[in-house]
Amino acid sequence: MSFCAGLSKGALRVHPDCERILISEEEIRAKVADIGRRISNDYAGKEVLMIGILKGAMIFLADLVREITVPVQYDFMAVSSYGASSKSSGEVRILKDLEYGVEGRHIIVVEDIVDTGLTLNYLAENLKSRDPASVKICTLLDKPSRRIEPVEIDYNGFVIPDEFVVGYGLDYSDRYRNFPYIMVLSPKVYMNEGE
Ligand code: 5GP
């Protein structure tokens, strides 16, 4: 689809900030169900602790846990990245830590998108140092062309090109998170920046 019009809940939806829809609601739903099935199979007989990274992964996590049939708990972390796109050192700060301890637990870190890989690399190392039984990584989107640090992704939704996307939890200035699809933001939104 090359324009941002979609039939949803019986209404034609067009958003002027949308360059094009990259991944439709239907494609997301099918992929989330598929990842949920894979996790349910891989963790048969176990309990899993899903760790959502705020705020972007919230909607993905909410849909994903409802597709998982093994016992699930979930918790959240919030991090802030500094200079992730320009510094290879990639300083990451934890703004909100877990409510649960992870020692001896099977944990899956759930992200919205892996871009440079700096955030997840830091988080995976940080969580491994807390002695969990296992750590796996799940992301809805993967933008491998901008990778600085290698990340081993266990459950990967969609590989996308190097374009700035929003929707389904992903934001620009905290907007567009509630859009049910993933869209490429129109350049005019950036051009207006700072005005
Ligand atoms: P990185 O992998 O570079 O450490 O950071 C990943 C984070 O960068 C994501 O959680 C997200 O907040 C942000 N990010 C990277 N690419 C995009 C994108 O295309 N759209 C949006 N909305 N956020 C992105």
Side-chain angles (χ1 to χ4, degrees), residues 53 56 81 84-85 92 111-120 143 146-147 160 163-167 170-172:
I53 308 305
S81 310
S85 57
V92 177
E111 253 289 29
D112 51 358
I113 183 166
V114 183
D115 186 18
T116 63
L118 295 170
T119 307
L120 264 183
K143 213 192 268 186
R146 283 173 37 92
R147 197 75 92 247
I160 64 164
E163 292 183 283
F164 192 80
V165 294
V166 296
L170 291 109
D171 75 307
Y172 176 71

Side-chain angles (χ1 to χ4, degrees), residues 31-181:
K31 186 65 78 174
V32 172
D34 178 55
I35 295 173
R37 266 192 301 273
R38 288 175 51 207
I39 291 174
S40 303
N41 287 333
D42 292 352
Y43 288 83
K46 297 175 184 154
E47 184 177 65
V48 64
L49 174 62
M50 316 279 290
I51 298 175
I53 308 305
L54 294 172
K55 302 177 190 170
M58 189 202 80
I59 291 177
F60 178 37
L61 179 74
D63 283 345
L64 182 58
V65 291
R66 286 177 283 181
E67 298 290 344
I68 294 175
T69 53
V70 296
V72 172
Q73 288 185 321
Y74 60 82
D75 202 347
F76 294 99
M77 287 181 86
V79 296
S80 82
S81 310
Y82 293 103
S85 57
S86 57
K87 283 188 202 163
S88 58
S89 59
E91 190 184 334
V92 177
R93 195 159 58 101
I94 294 177
L95 301 177
K96 183 213 171 296
D97 210 335
L98 297 171
E99 183 184 329
Y100 294 105
V102 299
E103 197 179 330
R105 307 288 312 270
H106 294 286
I107 62 180
I108 302 178
V109 183
V110 181
E111 253 289 29
D112 51 358
I113 183 166
V114 183
D115 186 18
T116 63
L118 295 170
T119 307
L120 264 183
N121 220 279
Y122 171 85
L123 277 176
E125 289 311 310
N126 180 291
L127 290 166
K128 278 177 194 163
S129 74
R130 306 183 193 193
D131 291 328
S134 64
V135 181
K136 286 193 180 181
I137 304 286
C138 174
T139 185
L140 180 70
L141 305 176
D142 178 19
K143 213 192 268 186
S145 54
R146 283 173 37 92
R147 197 75 92 247
I148 293 172
E149 293 278 350
V151 177
E152 204 175 308
I153 300 171
D154 301 282
Y155 304 101
N156 197 357
F158 302 91
V159 176
I160 64 164
D162 184 11
E163 292 183 283
F164 192 80
V165 294
V166 296
Y168 199 70
L170 291 109
D171 75 307
Y172 176 71
S173 291
D174 250 329
R175 298 196 180 90
Y176 313 103
R177 293 191 196 275
N178 59 322
F179 283 38
Y181 43 74

Side-chain angles (χ1 to χ4, degrees), residues 16-20 184-193:
D17 294 350
C18 178
E19 178 80 2
R20 68 182 201 282
V184 176
L185 206 55
S186 167
K188 76 176 185 331
V189 178
Y190 302 98
M191 285 183 327
N192 293 339
E193 211 175 33

